Amino acid sequence: MLEQKRKRAFLTGISGQDGSYLAEFLLSKDYEVHGLIRKHSIFGTERIAHLYQDPHEPDVRLSLHYGDLNDGSNLTALLKEIQPDEVYHLGAQSHVKVSFLNPIYTVETDGLGTLRLLEAVRGLGNQPRYYQASSSEMYGLAAEVPQRESTSFHPCSPYACAKVFAFWQTVNYREAYALHASNGIMFNHESPRRGETFVTRKISRAATRIKLGLQERLYLGNLEPQRDWGFAGDYVEAMWLMLQQDEPDDYVIATGESHCVREFCELAFGLLDLDYKDFVVVDPRYFRPLEIDVLQGDASRARIKFGWTPKVSFKELVTMMIESDLELAKREKLLLEAGYASTVNSGY
Ligand code: NAP
Ligand code: G4F
């Protein structure tokens, strides 16, 4: 009997929230996974440390490669060496507020970085299938709620403008070079591995630290914006499903439900028997020059084409994050009691 060749995937952003869940998912499907990582002064690979295998062991299925989206020659060389069947492009400066502070860097990385990767893919003999991490931020000041694939983009941050550029470059490479390239227009997705400066994780970290007496207040920006929050573990499956379709396409991935930041606070603190109003302070430092009031997606196309629906509800998501961060806060407290320094989140 002929043995089936193991599929090979290349991931940018493997050290990020989505990259870690996607790497886990692909390894569970017996893929060989190659991930792009940047050189940091500290490791920076905590989210995938549990997947790491010693490269000297036989049958290693996860390999990490140094590189950067701002170095096109390195991307080209890596892809030539790896010859992947599927490329998942998740790497980005992904923080909207930071994109107002570092607009050139953000556009360089998220916009031109995508083009560099697409060019590297185009240069391969056997073109791999390509996934682009597009964002609901592209809808911005959208003319309709919910937003679907046909809704016009009205980006309102440097991050969103860069993502619109990357979206259209992906469509362009699909149309011009017959590349199997798909955009996942993902609405906000969170998890216990979410970066600590995004609002959900900022809240779950602070609420649990407050509960254990490690912190007194939580300083936030605008509490009224509504977001369509899902669980990152559910969303990475949709990325993979897109690349298993015969034809490439663009898909909204969302829960179809939106909640405001205030509601997230109410539920998160409530799970700890606390009233968020006693602890949350609005600090204009965290306001953005332009805000998106409501993001809410309609993922019907993904449901109809390949049966994707979210599994984790809003309440289950908040509970999962609170439970995980409570454990983290307990460990932090033990370390503090043993004389080790604590960490402080002063990020945006
Ligand atoms: P994340 O946790 O911020 O991870 C971003 C990843 O990109 C990290 O691995 C980071 O590496 C890497 N990266 C940043 N700059 C890079 C550069 N110059 N070269 C190479 N790699 C670089 O983001 P995420 O939440 O997993 O999101 C994944 C992707 O989906 C991003 O493109 C994001 O814009 C997009 N997206 C996210 C959401 C969401 O709600 N999470 C929704 C829509 C779209 P380091 O670890 O070295 O910093
Ligand atoms: O958690 P956020 O920073 O996420 P945002 O801006 O919606 O962007 C995330 O989702 C996008 C998909 O729609 C991704 F493309 C993007 O990469 C990222 O993953 O902010 C959510 C809301 C905003 O309205 C913000 O103004 O929360 C509000 N907020 C209020 N106080 C805050 C804070 N956001 C942050 N980060 N920090 C605050 O203190």
Side-chain angles (χ1 to χ4, degrees), residues 145 147 187-190 199-200 203 222-231 235 254-268 291-297 310 312-318:
V145 180
Q147 294 91 33
F187 284 63
N188 299 48
H189 43 279
E190 320 293 314
V199 78
T200 56
I203 296 167
N222 194 336
L223 303 184
E224 307 314 328
Q226 296 177 33
R227 290 292 182 272
D228 180 330
W229 280 300
F231 170 53
Y235 286 44
T255 70
E257 225 183 83
S258 61
H259 300 269
C260 66
V261 175
R262 188 184 294 284
E263 273 177 86
F264 197 105
C265 289
E266 202 170 0
L267 181 52
E291 183 59 85
I292 301 177
D293 294 333
V294 187
L295 284 177
Q296 189 178 321
V312 175
S313 71
F314 177 66
K315 190 167 181 202
E316 286 167 343
L317 173 66
V318 182

Side-chain angles (χ1 to χ4, degrees), residues 15-18 38 40 68-69 90 92 94 159 163 186 189:
S15 58
Q17 172 190 251
D18 291 6
R38 297 194 287 174
H40 291 276
D68 197 296
L69 290 164
L90 311 177
S94 70
Y159 167 80
K163 285 286 183 180
M186 302 260 163
H189 43 279

Side-chain angles (χ1 to χ4, degrees), residues 12 202 250:
T12 68
K202 194 169 161 182
D250 306 317

Side-chain angles (χ1 to χ4, degrees), residues 35-195:
L36 185 77
I37 52 165
R38 297 194 287 174
K39 170 75 182 77
H40 291 276
S41 62
I42 49 169
F43 277 126
T45 46
E46 295 77 6
R47 290 186 180 104
I48 48 172
H50 61 295
L51 302 173
Y52 182 78
Q53 293 162 285
D54 192 311
H56 301 101
E57 293 295 319
D59 195 30
V60 168
R61 289 200 293 121
L62 172 69
S63 308
L64 302 176
H65 308 263
Y66 282 116
D68 197 296
L69 290 164
N70 294 315
D71 181 348
S73 60
N74 158 269
L75 294 173
T76 302
L78 277 178
L79 286 186
K80 274 209 177 110
E81 179 195 324
I82 296 164
Q83 293 286 334
D85 301 294
E86 296 173 7
V87 170
Y88 295 87
H89 177 33
L90 311 177
Q93 190 302 93
S94 70
H95 202 287
V96 174
K97 172 72 188 263
V98 170
S99 81
F100 284 105
L101 306 171
N102 299 159
I104 312 288
Y105 173 75
T106 301
V107 171
E108 186 68 51
T109 304
D110 300 6
L112 280 177
T114 300
L115 187 53
R116 287 185 193 101
L117 185 62
L118 282 166
E119 270 295 277
V121 166
R122 185 168 76 89
L124 293 175
N126 285 334
Q127 287 186 347
R129 296 186 172 196
Y130 177 89
Y131 171 81
Q132 168 62 24
S134 286
S135 166
S136 53
E137 278 290 309
M138 302 187 302
Y139 293 122
L141 307 175
E144 59 177 358
V145 180
Q147 294 91 33
R148 46 182 69 88
E149 292 82 1
S150 56
T151 305
S152 304
F153 298 145
H154 186 149
C156 56
S157 65
Y159 167 80
C161 291
K163 285 286 183 180
V164 170
F165 173 86
F167 173 94
W168 283 115
Q169 287 296 351
T170 302
V171 173
N172 183 238
Y173 273 58
R174 178 165 80 214
E175 293 174 352
Y177 306 115
L179 182 65
H180 190 297
S182 297
N183 281 289
I185 308 174
M186 302 260 163
F187 284 63
N188 299 48
H189 43 279
E190 320 293 314
S191 72
R193 297 185 200 164
R194 183 58 143 155

